[in-house]
Amino acid sequence: MSSYIIEGGNKLEGEINVSGSKNASLPIMAASILSGKTTTLYNVPNIYDTKTTQKILQLLGCRVNKKNGKIIINSKDIKSQEIPDEQMRKMRSSVVLAGALIGRFKNAIFSYPGGCDIGSRPIDLHLKGFQKLGINIEEDGGIIKCSCDKIIGNNIHLDFPSVGATENIILASVFAEGETIITNAAMEPEIVDLQNFLNKMGAKVKGAGTNVIKITGVKNLKDVSYNVMPDRIEAGTLLCMAAITGGEVLVNNVKIEHINPVIHKLEEAGAKILLDKNKIAIKSPKRLKAVDIKTMPYPGFPTDLQSIFASMLSVAKGSSMVVENIFENRYKYVNELRRMGAKITVEGKVAIIKGVRKLTSAQVNSTDLRGGAAMCTAALAAKGESTINNIEYILRGYENLDKKLTKLGAKIKLQQI
Ligand code: EPZ
């Protein structure tokens, strides 16, 4: 078990670069399966989840090399279309490898994905989408077998704009006969990045970023080099961490339009924000004001920043209301935050935060990736030494968080037992 030891009470100050996006890298790495050729990726963060994806690609038969900050994947000699259950359980996005395997081989065997425990997280929309493309699905003892003779483009309407289902259907239909149209598609920037990557490789995908995506099947793809987009959730996390400490930080390598709702809410809470191309400067007051947030699919307020924002609001002046509309179990961190003196009540989707003047240091657990980041946010402001346990969750999704915070003046140590 690894922990972060944080001595709170120091203002964050200085300049920091955001890493490449986890949630864009994972489907793009999966998509490298489609070409049977060489994919060179830049800006992939070095985190547990990208390492797990790399491991699965290697188990399937890809050759993967990492050098000088780039990852080179050659998918020519894939021998297996079966994703081992042990790997499937490690993270949710292992499921998008299925779409890529189906797209290339018309065949994939996999089990239900694991990942952060933030809700029931079914994959029914992914499987319904595959069926609409003419793929047969058999399920036995939790093992799902997908196969077909041909993939035929179709119109697919999603009951909910699921990010993973949208990505999986795109991947499975890149070589389909004819045209696939996804309506009520997810509009997240990571899907635009996947589209840009696929098109650079020779695919024909249009409309990502809107709720209608059109994929025209192609016959083959080519070698590609691609630079993954910056991580909008890491950018938002660093801004909230700066804000809770009353700090002044310049966050570099951000696509400002990707985190508009977060910028607006930070301003509403009293932070001064300056925007310049791909940089965001934040200057925070001594004490923030309470604000209300509701999580929504993009371009709404991101669920992935709900816990971190709530942690920041736990010391704001007044009462804030948080409504979590995407996942039904994304308040597990609240019990841990209460140990630090936060006053939060939760009923169903709604959390009411009564801002306290100060948090106290404590020993707390990371309950999931963003829940763990929320604990770090609180610990940065709490006087004294806090220990955040189970940071394996945090290491799944944040690259060098301790080093980045140290650069900004925080006192944080990584302890590995
Ligand atoms: C992606 O997860 C992200 N993960 C999540 O990031 C993020 O929280 C989520 O999108 C929402 O923005 C990656 O991109 C790797 P969904 P995903 O399918 O694709 C329901 C993080 O912290 N649903 O859009 O799994 C589901 O239960 C994380 O980085 C179905 O009902 O999310 C949920 O309520 C964790 N049936 C809602 O849709 C399905 O078949 C949104 O899920 C699929 C989803």
Side-chain angles (χ1 to χ4, degrees):
M1 185 182 76
S2 306
S3 310
Y4 280 143
I5 316 285
I6 298 179
E7 172 81 40
N10 297 298
K11 278 189 185 180
L12 295 192
E13 277 166 345
E15 205 172 314
I16 202 74
N17 292 337
V18 169
S19 298
S21 160
K22 165 177 88 79
N23 289 345
S25 296
L26 301 176
I28 287 176
M29 288 175 79
S32 69
I33 289 176
L34 285 166
S35 68
K37 301 205 167 94
T38 302
T39 295
T40 306
L41 297 176
Y42 296 87
N43 213 26
V44 171
N46 191 19
I47 49 176
Y48 282 12
D49 278 7
T50 55
K51 286 182 196 159
T52 303
T53 305
Q54 177 181 334
K55 169 100 189 176
I56 301 175
L57 290 171
Q58 284 167 322
L59 288 169
L60 296 173
C62 292
R63 274 181 286 128
V64 185
N65 283 306
K66 268 186 181 176
K67 59 177 174 204
N68 307 332
K70 59 183 177 189
I71 298 190
I72 304 163
I73 303 166
N74 185 304
S75 60
K76 180 168 166 271
D77 296 324
I78 290 186
K79 288 172 196 70
S80 165
Q81 286 93 53
E82 181 165 357
I83 310 167
D85 181 55
E86 190 194 337
Q87 307 300 328
M88 281 301 295
R89 286 175 185 273
K90 284 193 178 151
M91 58 174 192
R92 168 80 181 176
S93 68
S94 50
V95 75
V96 293
L97 289 142
L101 285 170
I102 294 168
R104 170 141 169 229
F105 299 102
K106 304 182 185 67
N107 187 23
I109 303 175
F110 55 100
S111 53
Y112 282 90
C116 284
D117 179 15
I118 52 179
S120 64
R121 307 188 82 181
I123 55 167
D124 56 316
L125 301 175
H126 302 234
L127 300 181
K128 274 192 208 162
F130 290 160
Q131 272 167 334
K132 281 265 193 169
L133 294 170
I135 296 154
N136 300 313
I137 300 178
E138 284 171 40
E139 197 184 324
D140 187 15
I143 303 294
I144 302 161
K145 292 186 182 168
C146 293
S147 60
C148 63
D149 295 330
K150 349 184 197 182
I151 300 177
I152 303 161
N154 203 345
N155 292 348
I156 301 173
H157 181 81
L158 294 177
D159 294 338
F160 184 89
S162 154
V163 175
T166 304
E167 292 167 346
N168 241 339
I169 296 165
I170 295 175
L171 293 171
S173 53
V174 160
F175 294 124
E177 278 183 19
E179 202 170 75
T180 300
I181 297 177
I182 312 172
T183 48
N184 199 27
M187 304 198 289
E188 269 67 2
E190 291 77 12
I191 294 173
V192 178
D193 219 37
L194 177 64
Q195 166 179 286
N196 293 343
F197 169 77
L198 290 168
N199 287 347
K200 203 166 176 209
M201 196 158 64
K204 282 198 178 148
V205 186
K206 273 202 320 212
T210 75
N211 61 3
V212 181
I213 299 178
K214 200 187 274 184
I215 306 109
T216 309
V218 295
K219 293 266 182 267
N220 44 49
L221 300 172
K222 52 186 189 220
D223 289 348
V224 62
S225 291
Y226 192 76
N227 198 20
V228 173
M229 65 176 254
D231 196 307
R232 64 192 169 103
I233 305 301
E234 189 202 350
T237 303
L238 293 168
L239 289 169
C240 291
M241 287 176 165
I244 199 173
T245 66
E248 202 172 335
V249 169
L250 180 66
V251 182
N252 292 323
N253 191 29
V254 193
K255 285 240 165 108
I256 290 167
E257 67 271 24
H258 290 172
I259 58 166
N260 251 332
V262 182
I263 293 170
H264 283 285
K265 285 292 165 186
L266 284 166
E267 283 178 328
E268 208 180 311
K272 292 230 166 0
I273 305 267
L274 282 177
L275 306 173
D276 180 25
K277 292 183 192 124
N278 63 345
K279 296 171 196 279
I280 302 182
I282 182 165
K283 186 173 180 195
S284 324
K286 265 206 178 124
R287 194 166 184 206
L288 295 159
K289 291 181 283 193
V291 294
D292 297 339
I293 57 167
K294 282 185 188 163
T295 67
M296 302 289 268
Y298 191 84
F301 191 95
T303 170
D304 294 347
L305 284 172
Q306 178 260 107
S307 57
I308 295 148
F309 219 83
S311 180
M312 183 193 81
L313 292 173
S314 68
V315 288
K317 188 162 187 258
S319 278
S320 305
M321 183 172 73
V322 175
V323 184
E324 171 55 55
N325 287 311
I326 310 294
F327 291 107
E328 70 275 13
N329 195 15
R330 224 171 185 181
Y331 284 127
K332 277 170 88 181
Y333 69 91
V334 164
N335 277 337
E336 300 300 308
L337 208 50
R338 286 196 191 115
R339 289 173 187 256
M340 301 181 80
K343 296 241 174 318
I344 307 181
T345 52
V346 177
E347 220 174 293
K349 290 176 162 193
V350 181
I352 304 290
I353 306 169
K354 287 211 166 110
V356 293
R357 282 201 163 270
K358 281 192 176 123
L359 294 172
T360 47
S361 55
Q363 274 236 21
V364 289
N365 282 331
S366 303
T367 51
D368 58 81
L369 162 59
R370 308 299 173 190
M375 290 306 121
C376 294
T377 306
L380 288 168
K383 274 238 148 65
E385 190 178 276
S386 293
T387 304
I388 323 288
N389 292 323
N390 298 109
I391 61 158
E392 282 70 20
Y393 283 116
I394 303 176
L395 302 175
R396 285 182 52 182
Y398 289 94
E399 186 178 51
N400 296 330
L401 184 63
D402 54 335
K403 294 198 181 83
K404 290 188 182 187
L405 291 173
T406 302
K407 183 166 184 269
L408 294 174
K411 296 218 164 77
I412 173 168
K413 274 188 303 199
L414 172 71
Q415 192 176 69
Q416 274 164 320
I417 303 169

